[in-house]
Every structure is written in structure tokens, then in C-alpha cells.
Amino acid sequence: MREGAAPGETGAAVELEMPAATAGGTGQSPPRADGPAKVAGLAGYPADRIPTDALWAFAVFTDQPHARLRRLDLAPAQRAPGVVAVLGSADVPCNEYGLTKFDQPVFIGLGHTGRSSVPCDVSRWEADHLALIVAESLDEARAAAAAIEVEWEPLPVVADLDSALAPDAPLVHPYEDIGSNLYESMRTRKGDLDAGWAAAAVTVEATYEVPYQEHAYLQPEAGTSWVDAEGIINVEIAGQWVHEDREQIAHALDLPEDRIRVRYPAIGGAFGGREDTSMQIVLALAAQRLAERGIDRTVAMQWSREESIVGHHKRHRGRIWARWGADRDGRITAAQAEAWLDAGSYNYTSNKVMGNLHLGLGGPYELPNAAIDTHVVYTNATPGGAFRGFGAPQAAFAVECQVNKLAEALGMDPVDIRRVNTLREGSPSIAHTPMPAGVTMPEVIEACAHAAAQPAGSGSASLESDASSSGLDDPMPDGPALFSPFVSLPARHSSLRRGSGFACAFKNVGFSFGFPERCEATIVLHGEPGDDMPASVELAHAGADVGQGAHTAFLQMAAEATGVDPSRVVGRFSDTGTSGDSGSASASRLTWMAGNSILGAAEEAEKAWREGVRPAIGHFRFTPPPTTELDPETGEGTPNFTYGYVAQHVELTVDVDTGHIRIDRVISANDVGRAINPRFVVGQIEGAVAQAHGHVLSEYLRSRDGRLLNPRFSTYLIPGVGDIPVTTESVVLELADPLGPFGARGMAEMGVIPYAPAVAAALADATGVWMDDFPLTPERVWAALKSARDNG
């Protein structure tokens, strides 16, 4: 390896094998294959793998939510001490990118767009890139940024949904010729809504506001890039889909994809936040331009936490109006909703998140009569994009609050109203067509309700986790409570109220609406001629392990599929140079899709083995049943090929004098089809609950005039170990998915989806006050309770 090369240059980014004598087929919980290196601090994350002689790149943000560039002189920065290169829009052959729509310039610049149709002279977001400075050190690169001479013409800032939808609002993307900031919509019309209202004994109507959420993954963005001896541009970074990253880089640099290699080392979390590109394109561009000048050195980048929070997308904020009706028996007769997502300055995946939101606004219920409209809207605020749940949590907050309010209006148990209306096997979906086989929402609801009736921690299904304590053993302490801004409660029992809430949800597994879903795997069986069984197995797969344990699960599935001892299976992962396209680590799809691809590759390799081929190689590209887009007028279609199902019960204590809430108990019932690694399943559920807990109770990301006001963890409060629910019980059902590998069903996102409405219902049960927005911080809860008291 040449001096200065990235450490991963000589092979795949991640190579893993199980420890010797590991029993680890499917359904077992062997230790993580990457666990020892991670707990010992030896695992190489992107920032750990930067060579000592690397050049450092610094991305200069425009710091302009909406402004036209009038003058730009990069030459003073070029002359600054230690600077090797300053790159801008003129250096990018195709100055555009975007995961689902090319609407964002790589750099803001004057006049030059290359092959791009996207005007690049307007900054639409405070984190748009103005230039990339490459220097001998990061400090020198940052210092040189101050030398750039730039003049801006301020433009009206479209700060939020209200300003974006106002009459005569300034257009964020006027070149798109759509005449509005509302740029895409979906529509569903089912049954006879008038007849549904006529049949309703009660109706409930409300407008719900849903907030941003920051991904808060452990490691901020970092990466390296270099050009190897064959002229291949290598990019090593953390992401969620190496082949999509490669495609985005190739498009912007106007290069064939085989000129680019992308690989992921260890990844410090993602949750959707690494689905869109951050520094992939500019890193590759820097390495290419330096190599053209004869500079053969690795280029490195690393964002601070504040740069990370400002510079990548968030969970969408939005607004949902809903009106639902039900008859005396609790059967839902009509459902109407209209929703708006704030896409921010660029689309990212907003049009796809809208699709999930749209389907979710029907909830996991049989709705005979429905009218649903969903929209995405450009603003100059931080872009919205992929985040665990992908639109489903926003939809569930509105839908499940509506169902709980219907139950309250009817004097009906919240579980009973769901028993009446839940989707079942063969039920028609909100998209008019039958649900895919394997609907288990009724069983999940029953399992959650049964567990809720048992003493805390007793469990009630095939698997359950140990209760996790937040450090408050007594839900109503006699002495001073431990200090925490989230859970501390005073000793005045007279001000404490208890309540419980219930919610359920479903979500797609895999990509939707006609997207060409696929996943590839390669298996190589090694042995001697005449051997009955392979001596060892190699698995090559591009799927990303973003911390969830995917690579260990892949090894388990490969062992099961080939019948080889898990300790004799080695995997090479997350590298476009060694693996076919896996698709993204998103949409709760990776275990489901990867498992099916591994099964197919194992079958192909076994055919070669039986024919005497050594080594026996099997490559397989798995494609699930096709999906379709929805009819633009009726919403009819086949949007997904399978779903995951979840229900949650929440118990809380609230201090009505201060607004402090403590979550005493959470039961999360999930159907996982088949638990490939039961310990990982429970970890996913508990992690999802903790992440949703922060979103609902404490994480308040504030924006004004297109700027984030609190891009740091000192003021954006993610929960610590002392702030999570006192007890979390995971109820895991294994009701096989008919199409899932070994019966497995995707479940990674499900635990975040119904948490907010379950907490809102528990708060209403405790106080009689419904809060239709969150986070439920103490001051917001106190204000809502005071307003309710004042208005009598």
C-alpha cells in the first residue's frame, strides 16, 4: 500500500467472520462479529482511517437561506497559507445532485452549470456549498475560507409552510415552472364520503403539527478519497447504499461508474441521515482534480457536530388536518385528511416520504369511505429527508390520536375500537387493493393488550427483553427525584397524575410505488473435489451495517443457507468493488432483501458444487413482487409487497404543576416473522423506543427565517440513559412472512411509529387534555394544561 493511501485500499472495507466454535444459525443470538473490535476501540470508523499525511478539505457553507450570488472571488483563499486547491462550481462537470430528483447544485456559483439544468447562482439553504478548500491542515483550510470575497443579494426567505403557501409567496425554485412552492401531491378517493358522514354517530376533527428531529448519530460525517494506480477514484465514507453513492458521484463528475469505487468502514449510526449524500461528491471531486495536477495524496474531510446538524437533512416537520367518524359500535365510517410536509430547500427524498405519509394516513384500518390529500412544499428551511419511519410516524400521530379520540367520544376501550376496525388477512387497503398476504395486525394488538394486563416485566410472547431501568426504581418517589430535565418529579404526590395510552401502526418493508427493488449476493463454497460439504464459505454483500448488526445477521443466514458452521463463514461487505448492488439500508428492507438474495446465491453455489466445480460460485439478484404507482385520481394501486406490524402501550406519570412527564412503562409488540438474531431484534425495539422517546418529549429543533437556532447538543436535548422509559418490554411475535427469508419480516423502524400517539393518549388519560403537537417538553405541557384550566 502506497504511503498516504487510505487503510482500506487493498481490500473490501469490512471483512468479518464469526468467532470459532460459535453457534449462530438463524434464531440464535451469537455475539456480534464486529463486537470485539468495537468495544476494544479497534474498529475503524471513517475519521479513524485518515492517513497522517492526508490533505484536509473544508466545505464552505453559504450561510444564506435565500440569496443571489452577485460576486465571488476565490483567489484570495487560494493564496492563503497551506492551501493546495480551492474548488467551486466551475470545477464540477454536472453541477447537480439529488437522490430522487436533481434539484440541488453541488456548489453555488456564478453562471456555470455544466450539463446541469439547475441554476446555481442562488443559495436556497444556509448549508448550500460555496466552495471546497483543500489545505495541509483543517485549521488552514478553515482560515482560508475567511479570505473568500463574496457579495450576495438577499432574497425573501420562505421560512415555513405558512409563508410558502401564502398567496403570491416567493418561489423557492422558480425555474421548475410549477407556479407554486407546492410541487407534488397525492390523492386518494375511496367509497362515498357523504354516506360515511351520514352513518357516523360521532366525529372528531383536529389539526396536528409534527416537528423536526435530528438524527444525532454517534459519529459526524467524515471520509477520505484518493485516486489509485488504476485511475479509480476511491471514496471511503459512512453511508447507507454504496452503489447509490457511486451513482451520485458519477453523475456529478460525468464519469462512468466503473471509474469510482465506494466503500464503507464501520458506521457510527445513520437512521436515514446518511441516505442522501453529504461530502461524497466533493471528496471525489477533490481527489480527481488533485490527481490531474499530479498530487498523489489522500483527501480527508470531517464535520464538527454543529456542521453536521446544520448540514444534513432532518425528519420532516409538517401539518396534518384530519376528520374521522364512527358509528355507535365503533366502526369507522369516514376518514378525511389533508397533510403538508415541509420539504425544505431541496427535495432529497421528500416525494417518497410523502408516499409513506399518504398511505399511513389511512392507518392500519379498514376504511370504507376516505378522502386523503398529501402535499410536499418547498421552503428555505433545512431539508427534510429520510429518517427512521420515513413519514409513517407523522401519519401515525394524527391517525392514532383520531382513533383514540373516537374511542373517548364513544366511551369505548381504545383496544376494542381497534379490534373492530383493524386490517386483517385479505382486507382491502387504503389503496383499494387487497393487503399483501401475512397481515398480523390483529395478533399484534392482542399480544400488546395482553402484556399490558400483566405485571410489569412478566412478558407474554415468544420472546421478551429484560426491563431496562432509567434509574428511578419507584414510579412515585417519597424523596427528591433524581435530577433530569425529562423525568424528574417532585415529592408532592397531590400534583402527580397517571395515565395510559395505546397505539398501533404498520409500515412497508422495502421500496414502494414501482421502484425497481432488488438485492444481490455472491456466495463462494470452498473445498476439495469429492468433499460432501464445503470447508468454508465466502459471502460478498454490499449491504450497510449502520450499527444494527446486519453483517452478523448476514453471516448467520449464509451459514443456515449453506449448512456450514458459522465460524467457517467469512463476509466481505459494503464495497462497490467486491459486491453487486444491495439497495439501501433503509425501509426496514435489508434483512428481508439480503436474506432472500443470500438464499438464492447459496442455491446457485450449491448447484455448481454438485457439478464438481471448486470453488463453487453462486451469484443471485433477488427481485420481490412488483409494486405500482397509485392512480393520481383515486389512489388505487399496489404500493408495497409486504408490511411490518407494531402496537405499543405506554404508562406515564405527569406533574400537573410543572409539566414534567416520566414514562413509567412501555410495551412494544412487534411481529418480526422470524427473529434471525433475537438479541438484535430486542435491541432494535429498545433503540426505537428510546429514539422516539426523545422526539416526543425533549428534542426541540428550532428554526427561524431559514436558520437552525440550536444546532448543538447543549440545547437540542437527546435523552441519556437516565431519561429513557423506566421499563421497556419487548413482546416479539414470530408469525412468518410468506415471502420473507426463513419467514423474517422487516421490523427496524416499527418501534418508533406509534410511540408519539401512545404518549399523547396517556397524557390525555392522565389530565383530560389532548395535545395535538409535540415535543411534550415541561413548559409546553404546563402551558397546555394551564390553558385548559383557564378556558374551563
Side-chain angles (χ1 to χ4, degrees), residues 749-763:
E749 297 171 278
M750 308 312 161
V752 305
I753 299 172
Y755 190 78
V759 172
L763 180 62

PDB file of all heavy atoms in Angstrom, residues 749-763:
ATOM      1  N   GLU A 749     -37.838  -0.180  11.818  1.00  0.00           N
ATOM      2  CA  GLU A 749     -38.456   1.130  12.001  1.00  0.00           C
ATOM      3  C   GLU A 749     -39.713   1.098  12.859  1.00  0.00           C
ATOM      4  O   GLU A 749     -40.173   2.150  13.321  1.00  0.00           O
ATOM      5  CB  GLU A 749     -38.816   1.720  10.633  1.00  0.00           C
ATOM      6  CG  GLU A 749     -37.614   1.974   9.741  1.00  0.00           C
ATOM      7  CD  GLU A 749     -38.039   2.344   8.343  1.00  0.00           C
ATOM      8  OE1 GLU A 749     -38.332   1.424   7.549  1.00  0.00           O
ATOM      9  OE2 GLU A 749     -38.098   3.544   8.024  1.00  0.00           O
ATOM     10  N   MET A 750     -40.300  -0.071  13.015  1.00  0.00           N
ATOM     11  CA  MET A 750     -41.662  -0.140  13.538  1.00  0.00           C
ATOM     12  C   MET A 750     -41.795   0.465  14.939  1.00  0.00           C
ATOM     13  O   MET A 750     -42.799   1.107  15.258  1.00  0.00           O
ATOM     14  CB  MET A 750     -42.162  -1.588  13.538  1.00  0.00           C
ATOM     15  CG  MET A 750     -42.016  -2.312  12.208  1.00  0.00           C
ATOM     16  SD  MET A 750     -42.615  -1.382  10.782  1.00  0.00           S
ATOM     17  CE  MET A 750     -41.801  -2.231   9.448  1.00  0.00           C
ATOM     18  N   GLY A 751     -40.786   0.280  15.770  1.00  0.00           N
ATOM     19  CA  GLY A 751     -40.905   0.721  17.157  1.00  0.00           C
ATOM     20  C   GLY A 751     -40.978   2.218  17.351  1.00  0.00           C
ATOM     21  O   GLY A 751     -41.403   2.684  18.417  1.00  0.00           O
ATOM     22  N   VAL A 752     -40.574   3.023  16.352  1.00  0.00           N
ATOM     23  CA  VAL A 752     -40.669   4.480  16.519  1.00  0.00           C
ATOM     24  C   VAL A 752     -42.041   5.009  16.133  1.00  0.00           C
ATOM     25  O   VAL A 752     -42.390   6.141  16.489  1.00  0.00           O
ATOM     26  CB  VAL A 752     -39.597   5.232  15.683  1.00  0.00           C
ATOM     27  CG1 VAL A 752     -38.205   4.745  15.994  1.00  0.00           C
ATOM     28  CG2 VAL A 752     -39.880   5.132  14.197  1.00  0.00           C
ATOM     29  N   ILE A 753     -42.845   4.224  15.411  1.00  0.00           N
ATOM     30  CA  ILE A 753     -44.002   4.793  14.715  1.00  0.00           C
ATOM     31  C   ILE A 753     -45.166   5.129  15.648  1.00  0.00           C
ATOM     32  O   ILE A 753     -45.695   6.251  15.601  1.00  0.00           O
ATOM     33  CB  ILE A 753     -44.437   3.863  13.560  1.00  0.00           C
ATOM     34  CG1 ILE A 753     -43.286   3.730  12.555  1.00  0.00           C
ATOM     35  CG2 ILE A 753     -45.685   4.397  12.866  1.00  0.00           C
ATOM     36  CD1 ILE A 753     -43.536   2.681  11.471  1.00  0.00           C
ATOM     37  N   PRO A 754     -45.624   4.230  16.519  1.00  0.00           N
ATOM     38  CA  PRO A 754     -46.819   4.562  17.320  1.00  0.00           C
ATOM     39  C   PRO A 754     -46.525   5.220  18.659  1.00  0.00           C
ATOM     40  O   PRO A 754     -47.457   5.492  19.423  1.00  0.00           O
ATOM     41  CB  PRO A 754     -47.472   3.188  17.525  1.00  0.00           C
ATOM     42  CG  PRO A 754     -46.333   2.231  17.551  1.00  0.00           C
ATOM     43  CD  PRO A 754     -45.254   2.802  16.680  1.00  0.00           C
ATOM     44  N   TYR A 755     -45.267   5.508  18.946  1.00  0.00           N
ATOM     45  CA  TYR A 755     -44.924   5.973  20.290  1.00  0.00           C
ATOM     46  C   TYR A 755     -45.547   7.335  20.603  1.00  0.00           C
ATOM     47  O   TYR A 755     -46.124   7.537  21.685  1.00  0.00           O
ATOM     48  CB  TYR A 755     -43.408   6.033  20.446  1.00  0.00           C
ATOM     49  CG  TYR A 755     -42.938   6.274  21.864  1.00  0.00           C
ATOM     50  CD1 TYR A 755     -42.932   5.244  22.797  1.00  0.00           C
ATOM     51  CD2 TYR A 755     -42.494   7.520  22.272  1.00  0.00           C
ATOM     52  CE1 TYR A 755     -42.486   5.454  24.102  1.00  0.00           C
ATOM     53  CE2 TYR A 755     -42.040   7.742  23.573  1.00  0.00           C
ATOM     54  CZ  TYR A 755     -42.050   6.702  24.481  1.00  0.00           C
ATOM     55  OH  TYR A 755     -41.617   6.919  25.766  1.00  0.00           O
ATOM     56  N   ALA A 756     -45.435   8.298  19.690  1.00  0.00           N
ATOM     57  CA  ALA A 756     -45.954   9.647  19.968  1.00  0.00           C
ATOM     58  C   ALA A 756     -47.448   9.627  20.271  1.00  0.00           C
ATOM     59  O   ALA A 756     -47.889  10.226  21.264  1.00  0.00           O
ATOM     60  CB  ALA A 756     -45.645  10.588  18.800  1.00  0.00           C
ATOM     61  N   PRO A 757     -48.293   8.969  19.461  1.00  0.00           N
ATOM     62  CA  PRO A 757     -49.712   8.971  19.812  1.00  0.00           C
ATOM     63  C   PRO A 757     -50.031   8.191  21.073  1.00  0.00           C
ATOM     64  O   PRO A 757     -50.980   8.534  21.789  1.00  0.00           O
ATOM     65  CB  PRO A 757     -50.378   8.350  18.583  1.00  0.00           C
ATOM     66  CG  PRO A 757     -49.308   7.586  17.894  1.00  0.00           C
ATOM     67  CD  PRO A 757     -48.057   8.355  18.134  1.00  0.00           C
ATOM     68  N   ALA A 758     -49.250   7.153  21.377  1.00  0.00           N
ATOM     69  CA  ALA A 758     -49.490   6.422  22.626  1.00  0.00           C
ATOM     70  C   ALA A 758     -49.190   7.309  23.829  1.00  0.00           C
ATOM     71  O   ALA A 758     -49.936   7.313  24.824  1.00  0.00           O
ATOM     72  CB  ALA A 758     -48.636   5.155  22.662  1.00  0.00           C
ATOM     73  N   VAL A 759     -48.111   8.103  23.743  1.00  0.00           N
ATOM     74  CA  VAL A 759     -47.790   9.024  24.836  1.00  0.00           C
ATOM     75  C   VAL A 759     -48.850  10.114  24.937  1.00  0.00           C
ATOM     76  O   VAL A 759     -49.299  10.474  26.044  1.00  0.00           O
ATOM     77  CB  VAL A 759     -46.393   9.641  24.628  1.00  0.00           C
ATOM     78  CG1 VAL A 759     -46.137  10.750  25.647  1.00  0.00           C
ATOM     79  CG2 VAL A 759     -45.320   8.564  24.744  1.00  0.00           C
ATOM     80  N   ALA A 760     -49.277  10.663  23.795  1.00  0.00           N
ATOM     81  CA  ALA A 760     -50.312  11.708  23.812  1.00  0.00           C
ATOM     82  C   ALA A 760     -51.600  11.179  24.427  1.00  0.00           C
ATOM     83  O   ALA A 760     -52.276  11.890  25.192  1.00  0.00           O
ATOM     84  CB  ALA A 760     -50.563  12.216  22.396  1.00  0.00           C
ATOM     85  N   ALA A 761     -51.943   9.921  24.115  1.00  0.00           N
ATOM     86  CA  ALA A 761     -53.151   9.330  24.695  1.00  0.00           C
ATOM     87  C   ALA A 761     -53.007   9.124  26.198  1.00  0.00           C
ATOM     88  O   ALA A 761     -53.956   9.328  26.963  1.00  0.00           O
ATOM     89  CB  ALA A 761     -53.459   8.006  24.003  1.00  0.00           C
ATOM     90  N   ALA A 762     -51.810   8.725  26.631  1.00  0.00           N
ATOM     91  CA  ALA A 762     -51.586   8.534  28.064  1.00  0.00           C
ATOM     92  C   ALA A 762     -51.661   9.861  28.810  1.00  0.00           C
ATOM     93  O   ALA A 762     -52.205   9.942  29.921  1.00  0.00           O
ATOM     94  CB  ALA A 762     -50.228   7.869  28.299  1.00  0.00           C
ATOM     95  N   LEU A 763     -51.139  10.926  28.194  1.00  0.00           N
ATOM     96  CA  LEU A 763     -51.219  12.252  28.809  1.00  0.00           C
ATOM     97  C   LEU A 763     -52.669  12.712  28.902  1.00  0.00           C
ATOM     98  O   LEU A 763     -53.097  13.268  29.931  1.00  0.00           O
ATOM     99  CB  LEU A 763     -50.390  13.245  27.994  1.00  0.00           C
ATOM    100  CG  LEU A 763     -50.380  14.686  28.508  1.00  0.00           C
ATOM    101  CD1 LEU A 763     -49.775  14.767  29.903  1.00  0.00           C
ATOM    102  CD2 LEU A 763     -49.616  15.581  27.532  1.00  0.00           C
TER     103      LEU A 763
END
